[in-house]
Amino acid sequence: MAGRGRIKEKGSLSVKIVSYSVAIFFILASIVPLFWMVSSSMKDNITIYKFPPTWVPEVPKSVSVTLNYDGTDLKKEDYELDAMEAIWFTWKRMQNEAVGAMKITGVKDGVVVYKASMPSYKFTVGRSEIVPTMVATHATMKNKLQKIRDRKLTTFDYMEEGGKYGGETAIPSELPQQAANALKWLSESKVVKGKVLTIDEISDWKRLFDNYIVLWEMTGSSDSKSTAASYGFPHFLLNSVFVTGATIILQLIIGGTAGYALAHLMRGTISGWLTLFFVATIMIPEIAILVPLYLTMDKLHLVNTLWGIILPHTAWGIVIFLFKGFFEQLPGELLQAGRIDGASEMKIFYRIVVPMSAPIFTVVAVMTFIAVWNEFLWPLVVARTQNVWTFTVALNDFQQRRSLGSNVIMSSLVIATIPLMIIITSCQKLIEKGVSFTGLKG
């Protein structure tokens, strides 16, 4: 009986269907590109462009080669040179394949002479310097050998008293693709002195994350404008963390105090005109003030410093406007009670207003974080040397290099996205509360 008397709104089912459909569409529209970015960050540079696209990255293969040196008379340096030629020249011809690592074992008269290995991220880092072309000669590798040692690109262990070799002594009749390609080149090579005794490959899932390790191994490009020191991606990431953190703190202090003054210390026409002035600054495009801003920083001797990046972002009109709107809704009785008790306005602000305003402080902090963390144009203009690059400027430099593929760029984007996702998800409730409060009064 109770169910018969219930009133149903006409068209409510259609509204629910449309609402859920739109919500699902936007969820998929957000998740699918994110999943593709993460997946691509674990692929090799050729698999990214395959059609139809592969959503699950292929597990890289670790190619193991045993070279036989029977009948040769080589010294330690000769073995090292031969191992480097077998690794680098072979990999150069297989650079577009999903090779995760190469391992070379040298054997002579049934005794292990050396073991050498290199993961894919080391090849990506050193490819442009060690093997920039397809030329494979002894002279080429001799010139690069010391650089390989200095940068520790390849591991080489020479066995003074090598143990007896107990592995396979014949090449399998059927080989996987990467092993077959490596065998073809090594068999035809006139550079590598060792003869292939056996070759094989296994899946190496740990090499899926090599594109991320590449970023930690990479350094800024060397040019006339750069400093003598070469900085890596962690340095650029720390610069971005410092710039973003300092900007957020200054925005909260300056914007919060200015908003409180407009909301509770200034009245009437003055407050209205000042608010209008701050709101009007929002309509000025950044590019229009780029040159005057740079000249100002130059006069202050802040060009090519982190503070030169930070200061222009410390007082936004939109931030002051949001703070003012929120503070106007706070109970005036509490503030008046503080004044009656003899508290100063600054003490009222930090002891009463700030604890009650966590939502708006969170909204401003997240809004500032997103804008400054992804800022590119201003850091590019004012940061002239590597030591003050933010990660966005460093990524731009990395993208100009032909040795880095889209897969490495994808991994850098994943790293840049992680802090945003963590902050937004952890502060979601306060963000919603802050937005709802700032929008109540119009």
Side-chain angles (χ1 to χ4, degrees):
M1 294 295 293
R4 293 180 181 179
R6 184 176 300 166
I7 300 175
K8 292 185 178 181
E9 185 178 351
K10 186 177 181 180
S12 60
L13 181 60
S14 302
V15 172
K16 285 185 179 180
I17 293 174
V18 172
S19 301
Y20 283 116
S21 300
V22 171
I24 292 172
F25 171 78
F26 279 104
I27 290 173
L28 292 176
S30 302
I31 292 178
V32 171
L34 179 63
F35 181 80
W36 174 255
M37 181 175 67
V38 175
S39 173
S40 298
S41 70
M42 300 181 184
K43 298 176 183 176
D44 61 274
N45 200 35
I46 298 301
T47 308
I48 291 180
Y49 301 104
K50 278 187 177 180
F51 187 83
T54 55
W55 290 91
V56 179
E58 178 185 353
V59 179
K61 310 298 181 183
S62 178
V63 179
S64 299
V65 183
T66 302
L67 297 179
N68 187 11
Y69 291 92
D70 291 351
T72 62
D73 185 17
L74 302 178
K75 299 179 180 179
K76 177 182 176 180
E77 294 76 11
D78 299 324
Y79 283 121
E80 184 179 9
L81 180 64
D82 205 58
M84 298 305 104
E85 291 170 342
I87 290 177
W88 285 92
F89 292 150
T90 303
W91 212 324
K92 178 64 178 180
R93 283 155 177 77
M94 301 172 61
Q95 60 185 341
N96 293 328
E97 300 183 32
V99 179
M102 282 199 69
K103 300 177 182 179
I104 307 292
T105 302
V107 177
K108 182 179 180 181
D109 300 328
V111 177
V112 177
V113 181
Y114 71 82
K115 290 185 178 182
S117 63
M118 183 174 68
S120 61
Y121 71 88
K122 292 287 189 181
F123 175 74
T124 303
V125 170
R127 174 173 52 186
S128 60
E129 297 182 57
I130 309 302
V131 283
T133 65
M134 288 290 183
V135 177
T137 63
H138 292 301
T140 300
M141 189 51 62
K142 281 183 179 179
N143 292 333
K144 303 295 184 180
L145 191 56
Q146 189 58 47
K147 184 171 288 188
I148 293 174
R149 293 169 180 163
D150 294 340
R151 299 188 60 183
K152 299 180 180 179
L153 295 174
T154 308
T155 301
F156 179 80
D157 295 322
Y158 181 72
M159 310 292 186
E160 294 288 350
E161 297 180 0
K164 185 176 180 180
Y165 175 70
E168 299 291 335
T169 57
I171 299 174
S173 56
E174 294 185 5
L175 289 173
Q177 181 181 356
Q178 281 81 3
N181 292 341
L183 175 63
K184 180 181 178 182
W185 188 84
L186 288 169
S187 301
E188 298 173 352
S189 173
K190 297 180 181 180
V191 180
V192 180
K193 296 179 180 179
K195 303 300 179 183
V196 179
L197 183 64
T198 183
I199 188 170
D200 196 9
E201 71 175 54
I202 58 172
S203 299
D204 190 354
W205 64 269
K206 290 183 293 184
R207 303 274 70 87
L208 283 170
F209 306 99
D210 276 7
N211 292 330
Y212 294 92
I213 304 177
V214 167
L215 292 174
W216 256 246
E217 296 284 332
M218 289 296 295
T219 57
S221 60
S222 300
D223 53 45
S224 59
K225 296 181 181 179
S226 298
T227 55
S230 189
Y231 298 90
F233 191 77
H235 177 84
F236 306 136
L237 203 60
L238 286 176
N239 281 349
S240 288
V241 171
F242 176 77
V243 168
T244 306
T247 303
I248 291 174
I249 293 172
L250 291 174
Q251 283 278 20
L252 296 180
I253 295 174
I254 297 174
T257 51
Y260 176 73
L262 291 174
H264 294 285
L265 301 183
M266 296 181 182
R267 299 292 179 182
T269 307
I270 297 178
S271 177
W273 279 106
L274 286 175
T275 303
L276 183 62
F277 167 76
F278 290 127
V279 173
T281 60
I282 303 171
M283 296 181 285
I284 302 175
E286 181 183 5
I287 194 68
I289 60 172
L290 194 63
V291 174
L293 194 58
Y294 178 84
L295 295 175
T296 303
M297 292 297 110
D298 187 44
K299 292 293 183 181
L300 295 173
H301 304 289
L302 293 176
V303 170
N304 202 39
T305 65
L306 292 178
W307 285 108
I309 303 175
I310 294 169
L311 288 182
H313 296 300
T314 53
W316 293 342
I318 183 63
V319 169
I320 297 174
F321 178 73
L322 289 175
F323 272 120
K324 176 180 179 295
F326 188 92
F327 292 155
E328 285 178 340
Q329 300 172 66
L330 297 178
E333 294 80 4
L334 289 177
L335 308 183
Q336 192 62 32
R339 296 187 183 101
I340 293 173
D341 290 340
S344 64
E345 292 297 335
M346 290 301 295
K347 192 170 185 180
I348 291 172
F349 177 74
Y350 287 109
R351 291 288 184 90
I352 300 176
V353 175
V354 172
M356 296 174 61
S357 306
I360 189 59
F361 277 94
T362 304
V363 169
V364 170
V366 172
M367 182 180 69
T368 305
F369 179 89
I370 294 174
V372 177
W373 182 258
N374 295 319
E375 175 73 18
F376 170 69
L377 182 58
W378 177 243
L380 178 67
V381 171
V382 77
R384 311 306 296 273
T385 54
Q386 292 182 24
N387 62 313
V388 291
W389 279 1
T390 59
F391 87 93
T392 52
V393 180
L395 288 182
N396 177 67
D397 176 72
F398 291 166
Q399 290 178 23
Q400 306 304 317
R401 309 186 194 182
R402 296 182 180 179
S403 59
L404 288 183
S406 301
N407 50 348
V408 179
I409 302 302
M410 286 292 186
S411 64
S412 66
L413 296 177
V414 171
I415 293 176
T417 304
I418 289 175
L420 295 174
M421 296 182 63
I422 292 175
I423 288 179
I424 291 176
T425 53
S426 60
C427 302
Q428 184 178 358
K429 291 184 178 180
L430 288 173
I431 293 173
E432 292 175 354
K433 190 175 180 181
V435 171
S436 63
F437 267 96
T438 53
L440 281 177
K441 194 173 182 179

